[in-house]
Amino acid sequence: MSAKIIDGKKIASTLRAEWRVRAENLKKQGLQPGLAVVIVGDNQASSIYVRNKMRACSETGIYSEVHEFPESANEDEVLCRIHDLNENPKIHGILVQLPLPRHFKDRKLIASIAVEKDVDGFNFNNIGALVTGNAVFLPCTPYGVIKMLEKSNIQVEGKNAVVVGRSNIVGKPMALMLLEKGATVTICTSKTRNLAEHTRRADILVVATGKPKMITADMVKTNATVIDVGINRMPNGKLAGDVDFESVKEKAGYITPVPGGVGPMTIAMLLCNTIEAASRAQVKV
Ligand code: GUN
């Protein structure tokens, strides 16, 4: 039997309608949530992601501004701008779009974002808080995955979860969040020896490797939940995930499509974190 498709676009759209109401209520109380996005260089994919984030903000009633720097910018200029944004009361969330040009140190820039405005949750303090089960902001993509599981009534506690990918943005925080929810978690990479032996044990399999269609049906347990975080442009121009959707959907119990799966959830959770940051700022006043 074919797997149930987890429709990220639909779940995200329902959540965004809820966030819009929350943003409106804050605005009525004189506090419009505000997001600043810092982008350095001219990575085409990043420009598209940033444009989508700004559009989503405007549709949700969140004020947003983009701070663009050329590839030739130096780190101090960008640090100075982040410092200004940390002090700006109109701005409740700040994110530095990744990847940065090679001569920039991601860690240094991200560490300069005020913890209470770090809506990506990538700052060392926020990662430390997540490790100890006291997250301030959950990183948006894995947070989106957890929300999708919740909204699809997929239980996590007690399950075997396997995460393929060890990035700071997805793999590592994903594993921590699943652990926090009570799963038994294995972290693999695309280079793990006998990868299929691990993935075949997964009740919940999350794949974020950037290797198109690397997870095939023989690597998946019957009725497993398969979450595909990958988004890859194929030579024919079409988008594909890290999971071979056509074959795996015949074996899995639940599966996310690409596009229309995890992608829309990432933006929805960014909006959620920004609104949450604004609400916390209001409480402080
Ligand atoms: N680049 C790819 N994904 C992300 C993300 O979630 N946040 C930021 N800041 N950059 C990214």
Side-chain angles (χ1 to χ4, degrees):
M1 218 182 68
S2 217
K4 287 201 180 117
I5 309 292
I6 304 179
D7 185 344
K9 209 170 155 188
K10 195 165 157 199
I11 299 172
S13 147
T14 309
L15 290 172
R16 279 169 63 162
E18 286 174 28
W19 310 154
R20 203 175 307 125
V21 174
R22 257 188 100 187
E24 256 168 41
N25 286 339
L26 282 168
K27 200 173 169 189
K28 278 185 203 148
Q29 294 160 36
L31 187 98
Q32 184 179 22
L35 175 73
V37 179
V38 175
I39 177 166
V40 187
D42 51 9
N43 181 312
Q44 254 190 353
S46 289
S47 304
I48 295 169
Y49 289 139
V50 169
R51 213 176 311 137
N52 290 342
K53 287 172 186 175
M54 308 317 273
R55 192 183 322 125
C57 279
S58 124
E59 287 167 5
T60 313
I62 295 175
Y63 166 76
S64 68
E65 49 188 50
V66 186
H67 296 258
E68 278 181 89
F69 291 86
E71 181 106 12
S72 60
N74 70 49
E75 220 168 50
D76 284 344
E77 281 176 76
V78 184
L79 280 168
C80 195
R81 186 70 60 87
I82 293 174
H83 180 75
D84 289 346
L85 292 168
N86 282 339
E87 302 296 322
N88 184 342
K90 259 173 58 181
I91 298 298
H92 307 98
I94 303 169
L95 75 79
V96 175
Q97 186 64 30
L98 301 174
L100 287 165
R102 276 173 188 275
H103 63 286
F104 276 79
K105 292 192 182 65
D106 298 10
R107 274 173 295 168
K108 197 169 168 191
L109 287 194
I110 291 164
S112 74
I113 301 172
V115 177
E116 68 277 11
K117 294 193 178 187
D118 175 34
V119 285
D120 253 337
F122 294 163
N123 183 310
F124 290 132
N125 290 298
N126 277 330
I127 294 165
L130 173 62
V131 172
T132 53
N134 297 293
V136 179
F137 291 110
L138 293 168
C140 304
T141 300
Y143 190 10
V145 171
I146 294 287
K147 268 277 169 231
M148 286 175 117
L149 295 173
E150 267 174 33
K151 295 283 174 191
S152 310
N153 292 318
I154 295 165
Q155 200 200 328
V156 175
E157 194 175 47
K159 298 280 179 70
N160 284 334
V162 175
V163 178
V164 189
R166 51 158 190 171
S167 70
N168 292 330
I169 296 181
V170 183
K172 288 180 204 163
M174 184 78 257
L176 288 166
M177 282 182 224
L178 290 164
L179 189 65
E180 197 58 32
K181 293 254 165 216
T184 302
V185 182
T186 305
I187 310 177
C188 301
T189 73
S190 58
K191 299 201 172 61
T192 297
R193 222 177 300 150
N194 302 326
L195 177 62
E197 280 179 21
H198 297 280
T199 56
R200 274 199 289 263
R201 278 202 299 270
D203 301 308
I204 299 171
L205 177 62
V206 182
V207 191
T209 58
K211 302 220 177 305
K213 302 188 185 192
M214 73 167 290
I215 300 293
T216 45
D218 57 308
M219 299 171 81
V220 173
K221 182 174 168 176
T222 302
N223 282 331
T225 295
V226 181
I227 308 287
D228 189 351
V229 182
I231 182 149
N232 309 283
R233 180 75 62 188
M234 303 302 279
N236 65 5
K238 289 197 172 159
L239 292 176
D242 296 351
V243 173
D244 181 24
F245 183 82
E246 289 307 322
S247 72
V248 174
K249 84 172 189 320
E250 298 307 323
K251 194 160 180 197
Y254 288 87
I255 191 167
T256 61
V258 175
V262 176
M265 294 299 292
T266 298
I267 295 195
M269 301 328 286
L270 172 67
L271 303 171
C272 170
N273 281 349
T274 305
I275 293 168
E276 182 58 32
S279 316
R280 290 179 193 165
Q282 183 191 38
V283 170
K284 263 194 187 166
V285 173

